[in-house]
mmCIF file of all heavy atoms in Angstrom:
data_model
loop_
_atom_site.group_PDB
_atom_site.id
_atom_site.type_symbol
_atom_site.label_atom_id
_atom_site.label_comp_id
_atom_site.label_asym_id
_atom_site.label_seq_id
_atom_site.Cartn_x
_atom_site.Cartn_y
_atom_site.Cartn_z
ATOM 1 N N CYS A 74 -137.322 50.944 -23.330
ATOM 2 C CA CYS A 74 -136.668 51.029 -24.645
ATOM 3 C C CYS A 74 -136.499 49.599 -25.132
ATOM 4 O O CYS A 74 -137.397 49.010 -25.719
ATOM 5 C CB CYS A 74 -135.353 51.791 -24.513
ATOM 6 S SG CYS A 74 -134.396 51.869 -26.020
ATOM 7 N N GLY A 76 -136.064 46.895 -23.213
ATOM 8 C CA GLY A 76 -136.614 45.915 -22.278
ATOM 9 C C GLY A 76 -135.580 44.976 -21.690
ATOM 10 O O GLY A 76 -135.927 43.943 -21.117
ATOM 11 N N HIS A 77 -134.281 45.322 -21.786
ATOM 12 C CA HIS A 77 -133.213 44.426 -21.314
ATOM 13 C C HIS A 77 -132.854 44.614 -19.839
ATOM 14 O O HIS A 77 -131.991 43.902 -19.334
ATOM 15 C CB HIS A 77 -131.933 44.669 -22.129
ATOM 16 C CG HIS A 77 -131.814 43.792 -23.323
ATOM 17 N ND1 HIS A 77 -130.608 43.301 -23.770
ATOM 18 C CD2 HIS A 77 -132.742 43.298 -24.149
ATOM 19 C CE1 HIS A 77 -130.811 42.558 -24.845
ATOM 20 N NE2 HIS A 77 -132.090 42.548 -25.099
ATOM 21 N N LEU A 82 -136.947 47.053 -14.955
ATOM 22 C CA LEU A 82 -137.407 48.406 -14.644
ATOM 23 C C LEU A 82 -137.974 49.146 -15.859
ATOM 24 O O LEU A 82 -138.337 50.304 -15.762
ATOM 25 C CB LEU A 82 -136.263 49.200 -13.989
ATOM 26 C CG LEU A 82 -135.828 48.632 -12.635
ATOM 27 C CD1 LEU A 82 -134.561 49.314 -12.124
ATOM 28 C CD2 LEU A 82 -136.950 48.731 -11.611
ATOM 29 N N GLY A 112 -134.982 57.814 -29.055
ATOM 30 C CA GLY A 112 -134.809 57.286 -27.697
ATOM 31 C C GLY A 112 -135.225 55.832 -27.551
ATOM 32 O O GLY A 112 -135.037 55.242 -26.487
ATOM 33 N N ILE A 134 -122.184 45.131 -25.835
ATOM 34 C CA ILE A 134 -121.637 43.965 -26.528
ATOM 35 C C ILE A 134 -122.718 43.068 -27.138
ATOM 36 O O ILE A 134 -122.403 42.041 -27.724
ATOM 37 C CB ILE A 134 -120.737 43.122 -25.593
ATOM 38 C CG1 ILE A 134 -121.543 42.570 -24.408
ATOM 39 C CG2 ILE A 134 -119.548 43.933 -25.080
ATOM 40 C CD1 ILE A 134 -120.861 41.395 -23.730
ATOM 41 N N GLY A 139 -131.344 47.847 -25.505
ATOM 42 C CA GLY A 139 -131.833 49.188 -25.803
ATOM 43 C C GLY A 139 -130.745 50.220 -25.574
ATOM 44 O O GLY A 139 -130.088 50.226 -24.527
ATOM 45 N N GLY A 142 -131.702 52.697 -22.374
ATOM 46 C CA GLY A 142 -131.270 52.313 -21.032
ATOM 47 C C GLY A 142 -129.769 52.239 -20.926
ATOM 48 O O GLY A 142 -129.163 52.771 -19.986
ATOM 49 N N ILE A 149 -120.960 50.588 -21.231
ATOM 50 C CA ILE A 149 -119.641 49.958 -21.306
ATOM 51 C C ILE A 149 -119.638 49.019 -22.503
ATOM 52 O O ILE A 149 -120.604 48.272 -22.692
ATOM 53 C CB ILE A 149 -119.358 49.105 -20.045
ATOM 54 C CG1 ILE A 149 -119.485 49.937 -18.773
ATOM 55 C CG2 ILE A 149 -117.998 48.433 -20.129
ATOM 56 C CD1 ILE A 149 -119.393 49.103 -17.487
ATOM 57 N N VAL A 200 -136.116 60.427 -22.584
ATOM 58 C CA VAL A 200 -135.230 60.920 -23.639
ATOM 59 C C VAL A 200 -135.758 60.408 -24.979
ATOM 60 O O VAL A 200 -135.823 59.198 -25.219
ATOM 61 C CB VAL A 200 -133.774 60.475 -23.391
ATOM 62 C CG1 VAL A 200 -132.893 60.814 -24.582
ATOM 63 C CG2 VAL A 200 -133.236 61.141 -22.124
ATOM 64 N N TYR A 416 -122.054 49.527 -11.347
ATOM 65 C CA TYR A 416 -122.692 50.084 -12.538
ATOM 66 C C TYR A 416 -124.203 49.867 -12.405
ATOM 67 O O TYR A 416 -124.652 48.725 -12.325
ATOM 68 C CB TYR A 416 -122.104 49.349 -13.751
ATOM 69 C CG TYR A 416 -122.681 49.728 -15.091
ATOM 70 C CD1 TYR A 416 -123.235 50.979 -15.330
ATOM 71 C CD2 TYR A 416 -122.658 48.807 -16.139
ATOM 72 C CE1 TYR A 416 -123.747 51.305 -16.573
ATOM 73 C CE2 TYR A 416 -123.156 49.133 -17.391
ATOM 74 C CZ TYR A 416 -123.708 50.377 -17.598
ATOM 75 O OH TYR A 416 -124.210 50.704 -18.825
HETATM 76 C C1 FAD B 501 -127.915 40.648 -22.851
HETATM 77 C C2 FAD B 501 -127.497 41.929 -22.211
HETATM 78 C C3 FAD B 501 -126.297 42.513 -22.561
HETATM 79 C C4 FAD B 501 -125.884 43.696 -21.985
HETATM 80 N N1 FAD B 501 -124.700 44.236 -22.340
HETATM 81 C C5 FAD B 501 -124.327 45.432 -21.851
HETATM 82 C C6 FAD B 501 -123.111 46.032 -22.288
HETATM 83 O O1 FAD B 501 -122.374 45.494 -23.076
HETATM 84 N N2 FAD B 501 -122.802 47.242 -21.780
HETATM 85 C C7 FAD B 501 -123.600 47.895 -20.896
HETATM 86 O O2 FAD B 501 -123.255 49.001 -20.508
HETATM 87 N N3 FAD B 501 -124.750 47.341 -20.458
HETATM 88 C C8 FAD B 501 -125.120 46.127 -20.914
HETATM 89 N N4 FAD B 501 -126.271 45.542 -20.469
HETATM 90 C C9 FAD B 501 -127.031 46.197 -19.405
HETATM 91 C C10 FAD B 501 -127.980 47.230 -19.977
HETATM 92 O O3 FAD B 501 -127.287 48.453 -20.097
HETATM 93 C C11 FAD B 501 -129.195 47.413 -19.045
HETATM 94 O O4 FAD B 501 -129.857 46.188 -18.922
HETATM 95 C C12 FAD B 501 -130.127 48.503 -19.577
HETATM 96 O O5 FAD B 501 -131.068 48.810 -18.565
HETATM 97 C C13 FAD B 501 -130.835 48.059 -20.828
HETATM 98 O O6 FAD B 501 -131.489 49.110 -21.444
HETATM 99 P P1 FAD B 501 -132.870 48.868 -22.204
HETATM 100 O O7 FAD B 501 -133.244 50.132 -22.846
HETATM 101 O O8 FAD B 501 -132.789 47.640 -23.031
HETATM 102 O O9 FAD B 501 -133.801 48.532 -20.946
HETATM 103 P P2 FAD B 501 -135.315 48.864 -20.574
HETATM 104 O O10 FAD B 501 -135.704 47.736 -19.679
HETATM 105 O O11 FAD B 501 -136.150 49.131 -21.747
HETATM 106 O O12 FAD B 501 -135.184 50.188 -19.751
HETATM 107 C C14 FAD B 501 -134.463 50.229 -18.555
HETATM 108 C C15 FAD B 501 -134.504 51.578 -17.902
HETATM 109 O O13 FAD B 501 -133.806 52.493 -18.714
HETATM 110 C C16 FAD B 501 -134.429 53.760 -18.693
HETATM 111 N N5 FAD B 501 -134.665 54.169 -20.084
HETATM 112 C C17 FAD B 501 -134.599 53.385 -21.196
HETATM 113 N N6 FAD B 501 -134.762 54.150 -22.287
HETATM 114 C C18 FAD B 501 -134.951 55.414 -21.861
HETATM 115 C C19 FAD B 501 -135.179 56.650 -22.514
HETATM 116 N N7 FAD B 501 -135.193 56.754 -23.845
HETATM 117 N N8 FAD B 501 -135.367 57.756 -21.747
HETATM 118 C C20 FAD B 501 -135.301 57.690 -20.393
HETATM 119 N N9 FAD B 501 -135.078 56.547 -19.735
HETATM 120 C C21 FAD B 501 -134.897 55.425 -20.454
HETATM 121 C C22 FAD B 501 -135.641 53.636 -17.850
HETATM 122 O O14 FAD B 501 -135.349 54.135 -16.569
HETATM 123 C C23 FAD B 501 -135.872 52.160 -17.728
HETATM 124 O O15 FAD B 501 -136.390 51.818 -16.466
HETATM 125 C C24 FAD B 501 -126.714 44.343 -21.040
HETATM 126 C C25 FAD B 501 -127.931 43.763 -20.691
HETATM 127 C C26 FAD B 501 -128.310 42.552 -21.245
HETATM 128 C C27 FAD B 501 -129.589 41.908 -20.805
#
Side-chain angles (χ1 to χ4, degrees):
C74 176
H77 268 215
L82 296 171
I134 62 161
I149 304 173
V200 172
Y416 177 27

